[in-house]
């Protein structure tokens, strides 16, 4: 087979819908698996919505998720002349015709059809007319009236429409602008798209689009209409279920590869594998493994996967992604000193974080500054008794060498002297060092912070 070419063709709406990201992902995986090309087309013909900002939101979403596309993104609007040319070619080859019917005539025709119990399809009297009055006209497809139109969809199987249920769609409006249906087909043809993978809400469009391909004598691409994403309650995913825009997921601090991993699992599977990298997904992806039943979005699963990806990431990448998160959410950049400490302490921190905000919370002992005002839970741990105990511990620690092993031995010995468990020392100690009740191991933190800073924090807390 010749090279595989896929595309994602989002309409700019101001944000990138999570369902669009999933359709893009399937196209991207399929193209990359076959060493093909994956293209991006912005369907910006609706001029009121197609602002540069709305297009930027799509680029940002794609980049954040790590989906690279080949070549420059294509603007559908910029190709309007080519679309019109094709409509005129169809006129010339007799597969389309000029229709001069007015809106009132069309409405009256439909009304009469409805009253007679026929489907309200407009059958233009101009279809076979040789007259060319000097009046405004649209160009309509001369669609087949008899027989059937069939799509052999990779996911949906064979789907058939009776041609009598499909009307002569408009290709070019009376102002000379192309309709969506024409633009999509011309663009997909010119871009050499071999496989169209998209939401199953476009299935009927595929039937209509295949009629345009046939009229032009063009090869029809392979169609794969994937099930849409549904909410946990089985209803179509909407705002009510939670975030819809890719950037909202970014703002919530999910690890981007985890979002990709999760979206891939919505409707596609490779055996029992739940956690995988995008490299693995590219190796494994086959359209045949996409299921027909709708996928349900499960935020808990996404969160768990995010935690797994954070743990599996190498510390350098993780730090870079964290910095990306800070900048995308308008937070202060890390200083070089903070970065050094974050890097050194990453192993201990990433174990317990499922999202970037949780990772930042774990890093509070690095990112916060003295004095560490304890939060409510930490404050409870720092009662008078504990503060007295920390005072005695601090005196003892002043004289020791500052290594993990020595600190651990000293603190254990101290707990024995005090006749309390290690936890009874470690918890207030953590509260004093961080102002929190959750953090990496106290020994790790003390080593990372160094002796002076650790002692200073203990002194702050014991006054
Ligand atoms: N612009 C369409 C959408 O955003 C996609 C059309 C297609 O993939 O053919 O739903």
């Amino acid at each position: 087979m010749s090279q595989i070419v896929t595309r994602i063709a989002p309409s700019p709406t101001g944000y990138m819908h999570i369902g669009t990201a999933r359709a893009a992902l399937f196209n991207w995986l399929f193209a990359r698996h076959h060493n093909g090309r994956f293209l991006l087309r912005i369907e910006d013909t609706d001029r009121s919505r197609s602002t540069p900002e709305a297009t930027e939101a799509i680029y940002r979403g794609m980049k954040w998720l790590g989906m690279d596309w080949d070549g420059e993104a294509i603007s559908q609007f910029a190709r309007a002349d080519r679309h019109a040319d094709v409509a005129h070619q169809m006129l010339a080859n007799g597969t389309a015709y000029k229709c001069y019917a007015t809106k009132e005539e069309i409405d009256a025709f439909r009304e009469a059809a409805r009253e007679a119990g026929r489907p309200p399809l407009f059958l233009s009297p101009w279809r076979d007319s040789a007259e060319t009055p000097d009046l405004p006209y649209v160009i309509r497809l001369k669609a087949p009236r008899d027989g059937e139109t069939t799509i052999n969809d990779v996911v949906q199987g064979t789907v058939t429409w009776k041609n009598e249920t499909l009307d002569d769609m408009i290709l070019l409006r009376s102002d000379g602008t192309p309709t969506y249906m024409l633009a999509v087909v011309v663009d997909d043809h010119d871009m050499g798209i071999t496989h169209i993978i998209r939401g199953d809400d476009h299935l009927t469009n595929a039937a209509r689009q295949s009629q345009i391909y046939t009229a032009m004598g063009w090869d029809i691409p392979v169609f794969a209409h994937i099930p849409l994403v549904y909410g946990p309650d089985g209803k179509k995913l909407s705002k009510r279920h939670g975030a819809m825009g890719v950037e909202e997921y970014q703002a919530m601090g999910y690890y981007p590869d985890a979002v990709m991993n999760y979206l891939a699992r919505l409707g596609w599977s490779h055996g029992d594998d739940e956690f995988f990298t995008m490299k693995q997904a590219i190796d494994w992806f086959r359209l045949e493994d996409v299921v027909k039943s709708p996928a349900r979005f499960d935020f808990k699963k996404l969160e768990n996967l995010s935690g797994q990806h954070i743990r599996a990431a190498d510390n350098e990448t993780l730090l870079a992604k964290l910095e990306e998160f800070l900048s995308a959410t308008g937070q202060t950049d890390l200083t070089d000193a903070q970065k050094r400490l974050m890097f050194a302490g990453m192993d201990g921190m990433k174990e317990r974080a499922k999202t970037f905000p949780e990772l930042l919370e774990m890093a509070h002992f690095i990112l916060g500054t003295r004095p560490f005002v304890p939060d409510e839970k930490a404050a409870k741990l720092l009662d008078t008794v504990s503060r007295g105990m920390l005072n005695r511990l601090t005196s003892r620690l002043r004289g020791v060498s500052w290594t993990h092993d020595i600190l651990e031995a000293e603190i254990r010995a101290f707990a024995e002297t005090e006749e309390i468990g290690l936890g009874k020392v470690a918890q207030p100690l953590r509260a004093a060092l961080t102002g929190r009740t959750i953090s990496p191991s106290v020994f790790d933190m003390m080593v990372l912070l160094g002796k002076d800073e650790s002692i200073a924090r203990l002194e702050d807390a014991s006054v």
Side-chain angles (χ1 to χ4, degrees):
M1 198 200 259
S2 55
Q3 193 188 36
I4 277 172
V5 186
T6 66
R7 50 61 163 187
I8 183 71
S11 314
T13 53
Y15 71 107
M16 184 169 180
H17 193 280
I18 194 77
T20 305
R22 175 163 156 277
L25 170 62
F26 285 12
N27 281 284
W28 180 76
L29 288 175
F30 185 67
R32 294 290 173 254
H33 176 89
H34 289 282
N35 287 317
R37 285 162 60 73
F38 168 66
L39 309 181
L40 172 59
R41 179 173 75 234
I42 306 292
E43 303 216 310
D44 51 359
T45 43
D46 178 350
R47 300 316 286 164
S48 59
R49 300 182 103 184
S50 303
T51 58
E53 295 74 38
T55 302
E56 275 303 320
I58 294 167
Y59 295 157
R60 276 200 309 274
M62 296 287 287
K63 284 185 184 147
W64 177 62
L65 291 169
M67 273 186 279
D68 52 332
W69 61 92
D70 297 304
E72 294 280 313
I74 286 162
S75 152
Q76 185 159 69
F77 176 68
R79 294 177 38 80
D81 288 348
R82 163 71 179 149
H83 305 144
D85 276 354
V86 171
H88 285 281
Q89 273 180 48
M90 288 164 76
L91 263 189
N93 69 21
T95 53
Y97 61 95
K98 292 181 183 174
C99 171
Y100 301 86
T102 62
K103 187 178 177 307
E104 292 69 35
E105 286 164 354
I106 296 170
D107 288 347
F109 187 99
R110 290 215 171 107
E111 195 44 48
R114 215 172 281 126
E115 275 168 17
R118 290 195 306 271
L121 291 186
F122 175 60
L123 301 174
S124 173
W126 298 95
R127 182 174 157 116
D128 297 306
S129 165
E131 278 174 61
T132 51
D134 189 17
L135 289 170
Y137 62 86
V138 298
I139 297 183
R140 286 185 187 270
L141 176 77
K142 202 180 258 184
R145 280 273 195 270
D146 306 320
E148 293 174 334
T149 295
T150 296
I151 299 292
N152 293 310
D153 190 278
V154 180
V155 178
Q156 307 291 330
T158 302
V159 192
T160 298
W161 290 261
K162 280 195 172 17
N163 284 334
E164 64 191 32
T165 65
L166 304 168
D167 61 3
D168 288 351
M169 76 189 107
I170 299 178
L171 304 170
L172 209 65
R173 300 186 189 93
S174 55
D175 62 1
T177 58
T179 57
Y180 167 71
M181 217 56 94
L182 175 68
V184 169
V185 172
V186 176
D187 289 346
D188 283 334
H189 170 76
D190 290 358
M191 289 160 73
I193 304 300
T194 59
H195 291 71
I196 294 181
I197 306 167
R198 62 186 174 193
D200 63 13
D201 50 338
H202 286 284
L203 188 60
T204 307
N205 287 346
R208 299 179 149 273
Q209 290 164 1
S210 79
Q211 293 184 336
I212 302 179
Y213 282 98
T214 306
M216 283 303 289
W218 291 340
D219 287 341
I220 300 177
V222 176
F223 287 108
H225 287 92
I226 58 176
L228 297 183
V229 184
Y230 287 73
D233 56 359
K235 303 234 168 73
K236 204 171 144 185
L237 193 66
S238 73
K239 203 81 216 142
R240 181 168 58 78
H241 294 111
M244 300 295 287
V246 167
E247 283 181 295
E248 291 176 73
Y249 289 85
Q250 180 178 25
M252 285 188 279
Y254 292 112
Y255 197 80
D257 297 50
V259 176
M260 291 283 270
N261 181 166
Y262 183 64
L263 290 178
R265 281 289 293 108
L266 282 179
W268 170 80
S269 60
H270 176 264
D272 293 332
D273 293 301
E274 291 291 343
F275 170 86
F276 43 81
T277 64
M278 278 307 108
K279 196 180 165 308
Q280 286 172 312
I282 289 171
D283 283 348
W284 298 337
F285 192 81
R286 300 186 327 152
L287 270 183
E288 293 81 348
D289 297 328
V290 174
V291 295
K292 206 168 143 178
S293 51
R296 288 190 189 204
F297 206 99
D298 181 339
F299 284 87
K300 250 307 27 77
K301 272 195 184 158
L302 170 60
E303 192 173 294
N304 281 331
L305 277 176
S306 182
Q308 290 185 54
H309 278 270
I310 285 179
R311 280 196 289 288
D314 68 76
N315 294 344
E316 210 150 40
T317 311
L318 186 53
L319 192 56
K321 298 265 187 213
L322 177 69
E323 291 187 81
E324 206 184 300
F325 169 75
L326 290 172
S327 113
T329 49
Q331 301 186 58
T332 326
D333 291 340
L334 301 176
T335 63
D336 287 343
Q338 287 173 334
K339 269 192 251 179
R340 264 196 307 280
L341 287 173
M342 290 286 290
F343 188 73
M346 202 58 103
D347 283 340
M349 297 191 290
K350 70 182 182 186
E351 282 312 308
R352 297 169 73 178
K354 291 197 286 296
T355 58
F356 289 121
E358 286 184 17
L359 190 61
L360 288 171
E361 187 56 26
M362 293 297 282
H364 183 66
F365 76 103
I366 293 171
L367 305 176
T369 43
R370 286 183 52 212
F372 278 75
V373 181
D375 65 16
E376 206 180 314
K377 284 186 190 159
K380 279 206 186 111
L381 288 173
L382 292 170
D383 59 11
T384 334
V385 178
S386 295
R387 291 210 305 273
M389 184 267 291
L390 286 178
N391 232 327
R392 293 190 290 283
L393 175 66
T394 312
S395 316
R396 187 163 171 161
L397 292 180
R398 279 196 190 96
V400 306
S401 300
W402 214 254
T403 69
H404 188 286
D405 290 352
I406 292 175
L407 284 170
E408 182 166 352
E410 278 297 329
I411 293 169
R412 280 185 190 283
F414 174 76
E416 268 174 41
T417 320
E418 296 272 318
E419 295 182 344
I420 52 177
L422 181 63
K424 285 272 178 288
V425 182
Q427 280 175 355
L429 182 55
R430 164 174 289 120
L433 290 168
T434 68
R436 299 282 188 271
T437 50
I438 295 172
S439 78
S441 121
V442 285
F443 309 121
D444 288 349
M445 288 195 293
M446 290 169 92
V447 173
L448 215 57
L449 294 170
K451 186 167 183 174
D452 291 351
E453 176 70 19
S454 304
I455 299 273
R457 290 189 190 184
L458 288 174
E459 285 169 353
D460 287 347
S462 42
V463 288

